[in-house]
Amino acid sequence: AQSVSQHNHHVILSEAASLELGCNYSYGGTVNLFWYVQYPGQHLQLLLKYFSGDPLVKGIKGFEAEFIKSKFSFNLRKPSVQWSDTAEYFCAVIGSARQLTFGSGTQLTVLP
Amino acid sequence: DAGVIQSPRHEVTEMGQEVTLRCKPISGHDYLFWYRQTMMRGLELLIYFNNNVPIDDSGMPEDRFSAKMPNASFSTLKIQPSEPRDSAVYFCASSDKTESNEQFFGPGTRLTVL
């Protein structure tokens, strides 16, 4: 069975700080990887996804993630966060089936 | 496209009552998923359908929960009887056959069972 682990439960940063959120997955086969964001009171929105090709994936709003197969990781990065990035971030993986398995989420708070 | 549509957006009911949540997937999508989000358990997949057929319902908590997809444009998740521990946000998502498997989420239904 596939699983996803997000190491940071709550991250607090000041505006303009750099962000890196950790995500590790466990699954032996080919995976599709996703980062979703959930703004307060809203539904999940896709930030970026990886399913093949260049392991460095660029998403919306200046976010990017790097798939490192040897480390089973898909960390999310942003060089300079803004107050509007305050949200919960979920890493997710799909293996052979269509089932999307989510990590427990990381709450990001950006202080103005 | 309007995206995935869910109704109602909020539901408050009393313990023991029947609750029906509704979902309209994106037109042309073959897969439909129901998720539940709680503080304690995070996001959990309850059940998913492919071409209106339930494929995996192993995430459905117990027999009080049932889901149907009578046609390609409509699905329901029913809880009967409801209990306070069912209080959560229920999300519906849909996806198509493309390789990327991206799922598009609806706005969710916030259920409160008193």
Side-chain angles (χ1 to χ4, degrees), chain A residues 46-66:
Chain A
L46 183 70
L47 269 181
L48 48 80
K49 62 187 178 186
Y50 170 82
F51 62 97
S52 67
D54 189 343
L56 183 61
V57 180
K58 295 196 182 297
I60 61 171
K61 304 186 181 186
F63 286 90
E64 66 177 30
E66 186 174 12

Side-chain angles (χ1 to χ4, degrees), chain A residues 2 26-34 92-101, chain B residues 99 101:
Chain A
Q2 59 207 35
S26 66
Y27 182 72
T30 302
V31 292
N32 293 353
L33 296 155
F34 305 83
V93 62
I94 288 180
S96 58
R98 283 266 175 172
Q99 297 184 41
L100 192 61
T101 300
Chain B
E99 184 184 3
N101 290 327

Side-chain angles (χ1 to χ4, degrees), chain B residues 7 51 71 88 92:
Chain B
S7 65
N51 292 324
N71 57 62
C92 178

Side-chain angles (χ1 to χ4, degrees), chain A residues 5-22:
Chain A
S5 175
Q6 291 183 242
H7 318 298
N8 315 103
H9 295 293
H10 195 179
V11 173
I12 302 174
L13 295 172
S14 298
E15 275 195 316
S18 64
L19 169 72
E20 181 160 4
L21 301 182

Side-chain angles (χ1 to χ4, degrees), chain A residues 85-104:
Chain A
D85 293 325
T86 294
E88 190 155 18
Y89 292 81
F90 294 91
C91 182
V93 62
I94 288 180
S96 58
R98 283 266 175 172
Q99 297 184 41
L100 192 61
T101 300
F102 284 92
S104 56

Side-chain angles (χ1 to χ4, degrees), chain B:
Chain B
D1 198 317
V4 176
I5 299 171
Q6 290 186 248
S7 65
R9 294 293 307 276
H10 301 272
E11 176 81 31
V12 180
T13 190
E14 292 187 342
M15 184 174 64
Q17 297 297 307
E18 177 180 296
V19 174
T20 299
L21 312 181
R22 297 172 177 80
C23 175
K24 182 181 186 317
I26 292 173
S27 176
H29 281 191
D30 301 287
Y31 292 84
L32 183 139
F33 306 81
W34 283 101
Y35 293 88
R36 179 173 67 175
Q37 185 179 35
T38 62
M39 289 290 289
M40 292 297 294
R41 301 174 67 92
L43 273 157
E44 304 172 278
L45 176 66
L46 300 177
I47 185 172
Y48 79 96
F49 296 82
N50 180 22
N51 292 324
N52 313 337
V53 176
I55 302 301
D56 187 343
D57 65 353
S58 59
M60 296 285 262
E62 46 197 276
D63 292 345
R64 296 184 298 105
F65 285 70
S66 63
K68 294 182 180 178
M69 193 164 184
N71 57 62
S73 59
F74 184 65
S75 176
T76 60
L77 178 67
K78 187 175 292 187
I79 309 172
Q80 167 62 17
S82 58
E83 297 182 3
R85 61 192 167 121
D86 302 330
S87 298
V89 180
Y90 291 81
F91 288 103
C92 178
S94 69
S95 72
D96 60 16
K97 290 194 191 71
T98 59
E99 184 184 3
S100 68
N101 290 327
E102 179 182 346
Q103 294 182 19
F104 296 81
F105 283 78
T109 295
R110 182 173 293 278
L111 173 65
T112 302
V113 183
L114 303 173

